[in-house]
Every structure is written in C-alpha cells, then in structure tokens.
Amino acid sequence: MENFIAYNPVNLHFGKNILSSLGKTLKEYGNRVLLVYGKGSVKKSGLYDRIMKDLKAQGFDVCEYGGIKSNPVIEDVDAAAAIGREHQVDVILAVGGGSVIDSSKIISVAIPVPNPGWDFFTGKAKAEKAIPLVAILTLAATGTEMNPFAVVSNHATGQKSAFGSPLTFPKHSFLDPELTLTVPRDYTAFGVADLIAHCFEAWFGIGDTTLTDRFVISIVKEAMEYGPQLMSDLQNYEYREKIMFAATMALNGMTMYGRSTGDWGVHSAGHSLSLLYDVPHGASLTIVYPAWMRHFKDRIENRIVQLGAGLFDETLTAGETINRIEAFFKSLGCPIRLSDLNIPGDHRQPLFESMVHNKVNGGNVKMKEEDYWGLIGLYL
Ligand code: NZQ
Ligand code: ZN
C-alpha cells in the first residue's frame, strides 16, 4: 500500500426533496448569488423556475450565467467570472452536470483575481481565494460534486486540461436523484460508463491495496447490475438513485486510498476525441478503454485478469475480460469505435497531433508516440 492523505470537505446532501434546505445553506455565505447553468435542460425541466422562485422568496439577489456547453470552454468561464466580479457575488450556485459544475469551480477562483481562467490551467495563476461554490447535480457521471477537479477546453490552444486545488471542492452538493429522471438515454449511458471508467483509472494506478480494490469492484458491480436496468426503465427513481450514489463514490477520493496515483491515460486520450470532434466525455471513454486495455495487455495482463475475476466471478483471460467489458459498454448503447459516431474525414493525423500536443499519458502505464498510433489504430 502507498502512503496517502484522505481529505474531502464536501457536505453532500443526498436524497428526495433535499433541495428544501438550499436557501438556508446559501445564506451561510451571503445574499448575492451567481447562478450558473447549461444550455437549457434546467429551464425545460422546470428546475430553473423552481430555484428562482425559491431564492427570490427568500430575498436573495440573484445574477446568472446560462449557456455552459457540454465539454465546457474557457470563454464561458471568463464571461461568467466577469458577471460574478461585477456583481460582487458572495456565493456561486451551479445547477447542472459536470460541465456546469467544473466551469463553476474555475469561475469561483477566477472572480477574485484579474487573470483569465485559463491561467489556472497553465500555472500562471494560483488559487489563493475562492468564492464559495454550492452545486445542484442534475446528471450522474463525473463525480465532480464531491471532488476538487475541473476539466475545461481551450480551442484556441487546442487543449482540454484539468485543474484542482483544495479551494475548488464545492462547499455543499445537493443530489436529488429525481432531478436526473429527465437525463436522456444517451447521457444516462455515458454517465454509467464514465463512473466505471473512473474506477478503472484507479484500478490501473499505482498501489497494492486490497480493501480499496474491493471498493472499486463493488462500485463497478453496482453500475453493471443497475446500469442496464436503468437503461430499460429510465424513469425508475431507485435505479437513478443507485447510479447517482455510485457515480459520486467512484471519484471522491475513496478509490484512491493506498494508491500514489491513478492511471488516467484513457481519460487523457479520450479528451483528444472530445476536443477534435466534441465527442461526449463518457462516449470517448467507451471508445478508448477497450483499445487501451488491448494495446497494453501484455504490460498489465495480471491486473486485467484480476479485474475480470472480481467483476464476473469467473476465471477469465485478459482478452476475455476486455471483450466482456467492451460488450457491456455496447449493451448500454455506447460507441466502442470512433466509426460508430460516423464522423466524416481521416482522423489519424489530427488525433495523433492532438495527443502529442496534449502530452497524453498515464500516471502508471507510460505512453510513447508509437503507443498513440497503436491506440488510434485500435479505436478508429
Ligand atoms: O446543457 P444542458 O441543457 O443542461 O444539458 C446537459 C448536456 O446536454 C444535459 N443534462 C444535464 N442534466 C440533465 C440534462 N438533460 C436533461 N435532464 C437533466 N437533468 O446533459 C448533457 C451533458 O451534460 P454535461 O454536464 O456535459 O455532462 P457530464 O456530467 O458528463 O460532464 C462532462 C464534463 O465533465 C468532465 C468531462 O471531461 C466533461 O467536460 N469531467 C469532469 C470530471 C471531474 N470534474 O471530476 C471527471 C470526469 O472524468 C470528466 O473529465
Ligand atoms: Zn471521466
């Protein structure tokens, strides 16, 4: 086992009607609220009206920034931070999926400084102060609700990068599974895949820790059991609840206890697909994960075999395990090759260049440029 420090300050509010204490929670931080949301799902579902009515009734002064796109971009972060600065907000309320909450984390550290948000990703700016962030999660997938990470794209520099600091944990996150009942079929499946991929990234990291391995296997088994049931009954509250809980546990630090690093090579490679073709994050992972395991099979054979035994309660070869995992992703309706997405053009060279430019690599399984070609060949 590797030495580790466990730290997670997020107050997680989980369950039906949990939003009833939202106003009281926001009041802890002040009266001026910056509400941040995405492209419109919150308006369609009625959540926006409900929150606005509630906050106005309690005397909050609310300004807003709507329009954060999926695979969020730095321009929106800067525009929202400008609004927050102008209104001298006391607290940020992020309502949405990973894209909205990740953007809000950078907005929270960007408001107190004159720097553009991208400076946090390049190291030009340090997070020394943050406007408190309260999140309402509407999509189970990323785990952002209980971690400090933010992933944002900068198309001007051709990068999709992650930032995290002890200041970018949300102060409170509200998770009412009912709010995820409207998530469409495709993003529901991508969310299940994403949470499984987070577990795998931990599994293929560095650190021999049997208890944490059991956490990982339990979370993935939960997702493999209830994910398909949810796909055939999208309105089922209990399945939504199980997947939401699993997604939060998959990336809140718990799967990293006793490890010095996760791998994250698949996420890193997947970001190039999202950058170049706006592939939804979860879909990028169902394309890259099987290819990555096949490409590196000889280097990590034992670990893949252990994963197969843990997940399927049978003795399988590494190849059989990979086939089963790929078949599972496919059964959810996720793409497993880039060609499944019917994106026209020849993608080899641009993908390779993006991977070089973004220094795609894993924390454990190190990649060289020839590995990029190997991966691309397997997932096209
Ligand atoms: O924009 P709106 O209209 O809100 O629609 C969104 C969007 O189209 C929609 N949606 C969200 N909640 C909904 C809903 N539609 C109906 N009903 C609801 N209740 O779903 C679409 C996808 O939303 P998005 O926030 O983009 O998805 P997700 O939560 O998967 O977030 C993806 C982003 O998170 C990053 C990814 O790279 C990607 O940029 N990640 C963040 C991580 C973290 N912070 O720890 C880790 C992850 O590995 C990941 O990298
Ligand atoms: Zn992910």
Side-chain angles (χ1 to χ4, degrees), residues 1-176:
M1 189 148 79
E2 302 289 317
N3 293 357
F4 69 102
I5 296 173
Y7 174 67
N8 197 312
V10 178
N11 293 286
L12 196 76
H13 306 240
F14 193 102
K16 231 177 224 178
N17 301 322
I18 208 74
L19 280 186
S20 55
S21 60
L22 176 67
K24 191 169 146 252
T25 303
L26 288 171
K27 276 270 178 317
E28 287 174 31
Y29 305 103
N31 205 47
R32 283 165 304 198
V33 180
L34 171 62
L35 174 66
V36 182
Y37 54 94
K39 286 281 184 196
S41 70
V42 290
K43 292 209 168 159
K44 209 169 150 199
S45 68
L47 183 59
Y48 172 89
D49 286 342
R50 192 175 135 196
I51 292 170
M52 275 303 207
K53 203 172 147 206
D54 188 24
L55 296 190
K56 294 247 161 86
Q58 296 184 58
F60 285 99
D61 178 4
V62 185
C63 59
E64 63 183 87
Y65 187 85
I68 300 289
K69 71 175 282 302
S70 188
N71 289 322
V73 293
I74 199 66
E75 288 82 357
D76 281 320
V77 168
D78 288 336
I83 293 175
R85 229 174 266 132
E86 188 191 327
H87 288 84
Q88 301 186 339
V89 295
D90 301 312
V91 56
I92 299 171
L93 176 60
V95 186
S99 297
V100 169
I101 298 175
D102 282 10
S103 299
S104 299
K105 288 175 179 178
I106 306 301
I107 296 165
S108 78
V109 287
I111 288 176
V113 294
N115 303 59
W118 195 250
D119 280 2
F120 291 95
F121 294 88
T122 60
K124 268 194 209 156
K126 292 243 174 320
E128 282 165 353
K129 214 173 156 208
I131 304 295
L133 170 64
V134 173
I136 299 175
L137 184 70
T138 63
L139 195 169
T142 62
T144 186
E145 62 277 11
M146 205 177 174
N147 74 43
F149 310 120
V151 187
V152 176
S153 297
N154 182 337
H155 289 285
T157 65
Q159 291 164 296
K160 180 167 183 175
S161 304
F163 175 80
S165 121
L167 290 176
T168 47
F169 281 102
K171 295 279 185 209
H172 293 261
S173 285
F174 288 82
L175 278 63
D176 181 344

Side-chain angles (χ1 to χ4, degrees), residues 19 38 101 103 163 198 236 259 270 274 320:
L19 280 186
I101 298 175
S103 299
F163 175 80
H198 295 158
N236 187 302
R259 308 191 207 279
S274 298
E320 286 165 343

